[in-house]
Amino acid sequence: MTSYRHCPLCASPLSLRGHAGSLDVQRPTCPDEACGFIHWDNPVPVVAAVVEHEGAIILARNKAWTAPFYALITGFLEKTDPSPDEAVAREVKEELDLDATGVHFIGHYRFERQNQIILAYHVPATGVITLGEELSEYKRIAPEKARYWPVATGLALRDWLRSRGFDPQAMELPAKPS
């Protein structure tokens, strides 16, 4: 849930209220009937790419991540993107400097911790990998050796691997601090 305390439209203090169709869910709401602002806190759309390059899957590590974790190439679906397909090809170009030779939908996945909906694609790509400014490193994984993380983009990787006839194993995620 957002940390809004005041209406972003009229600055009135927000209060929690249920609304028609979802009375059991309390949402930050402007009490000023003339304003009518309700913060629905809808998920943010994100595109993700299982990048296949020279027969390997490319996983990357973001500079902002503290743990040595590698993941799929991802990015927000921008308002100016003509389509999710084009957005994921753009992200592969921006982050790896690779050219997509195809874009194939894998599925959609919830990433509740970040309040995102992931639109995942298989993106075969060509070119020489040059990391974009957000990434610190990458690694190549043979599909038959790939393991998946059991949330969000990891599930997309699992589903793509299974569609190729592989039986990937889940990796264990570190325990969250209490």
Side-chain angles (χ1 to χ4, degrees):
M1 184 70 68
T2 184
S3 61
Y4 282 146
R5 292 192 175 157
H6 293 87
C7 177
L9 302 178
C10 72
S12 295
L14 296 176
S15 59
L16 293 176
R17 287 196 328 215
H19 296 275
S22 61
L23 291 174
D24 58 329
V25 177
Q26 300 288 300
R27 302 186 189 286
T29 304
C30 183
D32 182 346
E33 298 285 329
C35 176
F37 175 79
I38 302 169
H39 182 64
W40 293 100
D41 203 22
N42 292 326
V44 174
V46 170
V47 292
V50 175
V51 177
E52 187 177 14
H53 181 254
E54 299 176 353
I57 297 166
I58 306 301
L59 299 179
R61 192 168 88 72
N62 190 296
K63 289 179 180 177
W65 299 345
T66 56
F69 186 76
Y70 292 81
L72 302 183
I73 299 301
T74 61
F76 293 109
L77 181 60
E78 300 288 344
K79 184 177 180 178
T80 57
D81 287 323
S83 70
D85 299 42
E86 291 170 303
V88 77
R90 171 187 49 80
E91 284 295 329
V92 169
K93 185 66 174 175
E94 286 177 6
E95 300 300 335
L96 298 173
D97 197 27
L98 294 178
D99 297 309
T101 59
V103 174
H104 314 283
F105 186 65
I106 299 169
H108 55 84
Y109 306 85
R110 288 181 66 183
F111 188 29
E112 292 154 350
R113 188 179 60 162
Q114 295 289 333
N115 193 27
Q116 297 172 344
I117 184 80
I118 308 291
L119 305 172
Y121 295 84
H122 167 230
V123 181
T126 60
V128 176
I129 295 175
T130 304
L131 295 179
E133 63 185 37
E134 294 177 20
L135 302 179
S136 61
E137 54 190 323
Y138 74 94
K139 65 180 177 178
R140 299 175 166 282
I141 305 287
E144 64 274 10
K145 294 186 180 197
R147 295 186 314 149
Y148 69 94
W149 46 100
V151 294
T153 58
L155 299 176
L157 177 59
R158 176 202 65 191
D159 291 351
W160 180 77
L161 289 165
R162 286 180 177 168
S163 77
R164 300 297 177 165
F166 298 106
D167 184 25
Q169 302 303 305
M171 59 176 66
E172 290 190 35
L173 296 176
K176 291 181 182 177
S178 47

